[in-house]
Amino acid sequence: MIRIGIYGYGNLARGVEAAIKKNDDMELVAVFTRREPETVKVNTENVKVVKATDVTKYKNDIDVLVICGGSRTDLPVQTPELVKYFNVIDSFDTHAHVSEHYQNVEKNAFETKHIGVISMGWDPGMFSLNRAIMNAVLPDGNDYTFWGKGVSQGHSDAIRRIKGVKDARQYTCPVQSALDAVRNGENPKLTTREKHTRLCYVVADPKDYDRIENEIKTMPDYFSDYDTTVNFISQEELDKNHKGLPHGGFVIRTGETSNGVKHVIEYSLKLDSNPEFTGSVIVAYARGAYRLAKRGECGARTVFDFAPRDIAKCSYEELLKHTL
Amino acid sequence: MIRIGIYGYGNLARGVEAAIKKNDDMELVAVFTRREPETVKVNTENVKVVKATDVTKYKNDIDVLVICGGSRTDLPVQTPELVKYFNVIDSFDTHAHVSEHYQNVEKNAFETKHIGVISMGWDPGMFSLNRAIMNAVLPDGNDYTFWGKGVSQGHSDAIRRIKGVKDARQYTCPVQSALDAVRNGENPKLTTREKHTRLCYVVADPKDYDRIENEIKTMPDYFSDYDTTVNFISQEELDKNHKGLPHGGFVIRTGETSNGVKHVIEYSLKLDSNPEFTGSVIVAYARGAYRLAKRGECGARTVFDFAPRDIAKCSYEELLKHTL
């Protein structure tokens, strides 16, 4: 059994916890929290909830520690620190600072002989993997990534900060005509904004509808440059139809292998729950981290470093027989 | 530069040759043929055409030899033999005999310290890679593979063997309603036959149309259990519209991460030319074979053994910056 620890206990951590239950070669040993442990109720029986400050006491009881902090302030500190004591995996997704994060994790992981996997999930993660493979097998071409339909927490929060808004949920939606043009190999030049629209569900007092809709649609950075639709609904309807965290998207590469001979490669995800799928990917690569560490590797790693056999639960013989 | 040799010179070999031109870290050194070398005209300047029996004379001039023989009789002999002298890669696709082929290549590759990559292309190959990753990241679910729309050489040949048929082309087509049911997460139980229809274009004398159509539709194994459509067309129309070798398909995995929380992962290919895309995949993994050999690995390998970084043309730093 691969012994997993979870550091931090929010939405993503609960997704990781659910994923561990789907993998019978793994067990959850402990959840580490900055809150008072007595106040945290986890979804797995017989799992210890431990103060985050006591985490190093468990260094001999955990094979891989899944760090579930946020990318902005938590992970840049937590991952380089915790990799001194554990093999770790995180979901760091601030693209602009990936190289820096990688270097910080690499240094401490290498010195202490641990594996530190960073930026795992679906984007970065599965989408990155597919972009890399697509580029290698179709070098003369163009990449496209579309996101959605899915809930953007950041945009939902931005709406909720508007005066008079009681609750809100924002969906990022891919533009069908842009997707179609890409799939047809038309190689359109598209900004992220031309590829997506924004769909908002807002709970507010009817007397504020006009003002709120205007404030949303003119909000710089978040909405002003997008085709934005605002629907006012009741709290009941929002709770009933919009409380999930669905997401997904498309990675498409189009290109030629010789003059006029075109190909389209597409990878897509349609996810009922962003944190549960992200957690499920992380758990598969936690298995990979365990195996790399077992064979004596150390240092920082990303999705680019793992072969399929490193993360597969089944044996290589089974892969040859049933998956090849 | 990675020095590539091509062994055998048919459709796939020309696809490999085209792909080498798209990768500026590679060069084609020689083409080996069982025909008289003078009779073989290749598409690359300054490339030697050499008798297949002289191949071992080039063992110090070639980093990876791409073996372009057929799976039925050529590759089971050629790959285990040639891996004694070269790092090799083939496209062996007889699923029932993969383990045996792997063992034969493994033994000789290991003894002579070479890398022998087998079963590369898109299925087996890219589809296998995606099935393996999808299974790892979504362990509780179901796999589906659909092929087409694409030309099946075997079925086209079967039609051409019917008396009175002057020419023919057969397309395997996925059934849209089956695809939709899978994407909707309905988990239908489908045989390959329920997932595909067969579309035939046939050139013949009008007086034979009825008999030929009947013979096609009742042909056991090939057509009798499928929904088969036969269109009679002129040789001119066949030459104009049906001389390409397009193909493609879909790998879909649907599953749950917790009770009722569903996800759909889909990978699809739409290819103008089956042999050119297959060749392009093989060339990317020839790079991988070169790198594995460079770092001292030896033995048989498949798509399951390569991490994205092993096949990417760009550096790891570039992957982190632009692809993650």
Side-chain angles (χ1 to χ4, degrees):
Chain A
M1 295 290 271
I2 304 171
R3 301 165 302 167
I4 306 287
I6 294 177
Y7 191 88
Y9 196 69
N11 278 338
L12 174 58
R14 280 184 289 270
V16 170
E17 185 181 17
I20 292 168
K21 293 180 188 174
K22 295 287 189 185
N23 288 281
D24 57 19
D25 59 339
M26 302 196 177
E27 61 177 327
L28 177 58
V29 171
V31 168
F32 302 93
T33 177
R34 288 181 289 201
R35 288 174 273 167
E36 286 302 317
E38 308 80 57
T39 67
V40 175
K41 196 173 151 21
V42 301
N43 296 323
T44 312
E45 281 182 25
N46 301 320
V47 165
K48 288 181 194 160
V49 181
V50 180
K51 270 201 92 69
T53 46
D54 286 338
V55 66
T56 57
K57 292 180 186 165
Y58 287 78
K59 73 192 175 75
N60 296 321
D61 304 313
I62 287 169
D63 295 312
V64 184
L65 183 67
V66 181
I67 310 178
C68 296
S71 289
R72 201 142 65 158
T73 55
D74 295 335
L75 297 177
V77 178
Q78 290 171 352
T79 310
E81 178 60 24
L82 290 167
V83 80
K84 295 179 188 169
Y85 309 97
F86 299 93
N87 301 308
V88 303
I89 183 165
D90 79 16
S91 61
F92 185 80
D93 68 355
T94 311
H95 276 80
H97 297 125
V98 163
S99 291
E100 186 187 342
H101 189 55
Y102 182 93
Q103 294 304 331
N104 292 340
V105 174
E106 165 74 8
K107 183 174 175 293
N108 293 351
F110 196 79
E111 278 176 9
T112 58
K113 305 278 175 242
H114 289 112
I115 291 287
V117 183
I118 64 164
S119 300
M120 194 51 68
W122 60 273
D123 195 10
M126 292 295 98
F127 276 16
S128 323
L129 165 79
N130 275 280
R131 282 188 287 258
I133 304 278
M134 289 177 187
N135 271 270
V137 303
L138 194 57
D140 182 9
N142 294 287
D143 285 319
Y144 295 89
T145 302
F146 292 81
W147 294 275
K149 182 183 176 181
V151 170
S152 165
Q153 289 287 157
H155 287 78
S156 300
D157 290 344
I159 298 172
R160 278 192 288 263
R161 285 193 293 266
I162 294 172
K163 197 184 155 207
V165 171
K166 291 169 186 160
D167 204 347
R169 178 104 343 168
Q170 194 269 179
Y171 295 91
T172 303
C173 308
V175 174
Q176 189 62 45
S177 58
L179 256 177
D180 291 342
V182 168
R183 286 182 181 138
N184 289 339
E186 295 170 20
N187 288 330
K189 298 266 174 261
L190 299 163
T191 63
T192 300
R193 296 170 174 198
E194 290 170 316
K195 296 191 294 183
H196 301 96
T197 59
R198 303 207 170 274
L199 176 60
C200 316
Y201 293 91
V202 181
V203 181
D205 193 313
K207 72 176 164 48
D208 297 327
Y209 280 2
D210 287 351
R211 176 184 54 81
I212 289 171
E213 178 164 351
N214 184 55
E215 284 193 41
I216 293 172
K217 288 186 170 178
T218 59
M219 193 186 297
D221 300 333
Y222 284 86
F223 294 100
S224 63
D225 299 313
Y226 290 85
D227 181 0
T228 300
T229 304
V230 178
N231 295 317
F232 290 97
I233 60 175
S234 67
Q235 184 73 51
E236 292 70 37
E237 193 181 336
L238 189 131
D239 290 345
K240 186 173 159 232
N241 298 328
H242 303 287
K243 273 293 160 183
L245 291 168
H247 220 309
F250 307 81
V251 176
I252 302 173
R253 187 164 176 87
T254 61
E256 291 190 351
T257 48
S258 66
N259 201 16
V261 179
K262 294 182 175 188
H263 309 282
V264 182
I265 314 175
E266 178 167 340
Y267 176 84
S268 67
L269 294 171
K270 201 174 135 215
L271 312 172
D272 272 3
S273 163
N274 184 353
E276 283 197 18
F277 187 74
T278 303
S280 200
V281 172
I282 287 173
V283 162
Y285 281 83
R287 177 185 295 120
Y290 171 78
R291 289 181 180 165
L292 265 52
K294 270 268 178 190
R295 62 184 191 232
E297 294 191 29
C298 63
R301 295 291 185 274
T302 68
V303 73
F304 302 129
D305 294 284
F306 293 87
R309 72 178 303 171
D310 295 327
I311 65 163
K313 201 176 78 176
C314 65
S315 70
Y316 194 76
E317 289 65 36
E318 287 176 298
L319 283 177
L320 286 188
K321 257 188 199 142
H322 305 299
T323 309
L324 192 76
Chain B
M1 295 292 268
I2 304 171
R3 302 166 302 168
I4 306 287
I6 294 177
Y7 190 88
Y9 196 69
N11 278 339
L12 174 59
R14 281 186 287 270
V16 170
E17 186 181 16
I20 292 167
K21 293 181 188 173
K22 295 288 189 184
N23 288 280
D24 57 18
D25 59 341
M26 300 195 179
E27 60 178 327
L28 177 58
V29 172
V31 168
F32 302 93
T33 177
R34 287 180 291 200
R35 288 174 274 168
E36 286 302 317
E38 308 80 58
T39 67
V40 175
K41 196 173 152 20
V42 301
N43 297 323
T44 312
E45 280 181 25
N46 301 322
V47 167
K48 288 182 195 160
V49 181
V50 181
K51 270 200 94 66
T53 46
D54 287 338
V55 65
T56 57
K57 292 179 185 165
Y58 287 77
K59 70 190 176 76
N60 297 320
D61 304 314
I62 286 169
D63 294 312
V64 184
L65 183 66
V66 182
I67 309 178
C68 295
S71 289
R72 204 146 59 159
T73 55
D74 296 334
L75 298 178
V77 178
Q78 291 172 351
T79 311
E81 179 60 24
L82 291 167
V83 79
K84 296 178 187 170
Y85 309 97
F86 298 94
N87 301 308
V88 302
I89 182 166
D90 78 16
S91 61
F92 185 79
D93 68 355
T94 311
H95 277 81
H97 298 127
V98 163
S99 291
E100 186 187 343
H101 189 55
Y102 182 93
Q103 294 303 332
N104 293 340
V105 174
E106 165 74 8
K107 183 173 174 294
N108 293 350
F110 196 78
E111 278 175 8
T112 59
K113 305 277 175 245
H114 289 112
I115 290 287
V117 183
I118 64 163
S119 301
M120 195 50 70
W122 59 274
D123 194 11
M126 292 295 97
F127 276 16
S128 324
L129 165 80
N130 275 279
R131 283 188 286 258
I133 304 277
M134 288 176 186
N135 270 269
V137 303
L138 194 57
D140 182 9
N142 293 287
D143 285 320
Y144 296 88
T145 302
F146 291 82
W147 294 275
K149 182 183 175 180
V151 171
S152 164
Q153 287 288 156
H155 287 78
S156 301
D157 291 344
I159 299 173
R160 278 192 288 263
R161 285 193 293 266
I162 294 173
K163 197 184 155 207
V165 171
K166 292 169 185 160
D167 204 349
R169 181 100 349 165
Q170 193 269 180
Y171 295 91
T172 303
C173 308
V175 174
Q176 189 62 44
S177 58
L179 256 177
D180 290 342
V182 168
R183 286 181 181 139
N184 288 338
E186 295 169 21
N187 288 331
K189 298 268 173 256
L190 298 165
T191 63
T192 301
R193 296 170 175 198
E194 290 171 315
K195 295 190 294 183
H196 301 96
T197 58
R198 304 208 169 275
L199 176 61
C200 315
Y201 293 91
V202 182
V203 182
D205 194 314
K207 74 174 162 50
D208 297 327
Y209 281 3
D210 286 351
R211 176 183 55 80
I212 289 170
E213 178 164 350
N214 185 56
E215 283 193 39
I216 293 172
K217 288 186 169 178
T218 58
M219 192 186 298
D221 300 334
Y222 285 85
F223 294 101
S224 63
D225 298 315
Y226 290 84
D227 182 0
T228 300
T229 304
V230 179
N231 295 316
F232 290 96
I233 59 174
S234 67
Q235 184 71 53
E236 294 69 38
E237 194 182 335
L238 189 130
D239 290 345
K240 186 172 160 232
N241 298 328
H242 303 286
K243 274 292 160 183
L245 291 168
H247 221 307
F250 306 80
V251 176
I252 303 173
R253 187 167 175 85
T254 60
E256 292 190 349
T257 48
S258 65
N259 201 16
V261 179
K262 295 181 175 189
H263 309 283
V264 182
I265 315 176
E266 178 168 339
Y267 177 83
S268 67
L269 295 171
K270 201 174 135 215
L271 312 172
D272 271 2
S273 164
N274 184 352
E276 284 198 18
F277 186 74
T278 303
S280 200
V281 172
I282 286 173
V283 161
Y285 281 83
R287 178 185 294 118
Y290 171 78
R291 290 181 180 163
L292 264 51
K294 270 268 178 191
R295 62 185 191 231
E297 294 190 29
C298 63
R301 295 290 186 274
T302 67
V303 73
F304 302 129
D305 294 284
F306 293 87
R309 71 178 303 172
D310 295 326
I311 65 162
K313 202 175 78 175
C314 66
S315 70
Y316 194 76
E317 290 65 37
E318 287 175 297
L319 283 177
L320 286 188
K321 259 191 198 139
H322 304 299
T323 310
L324 193 77

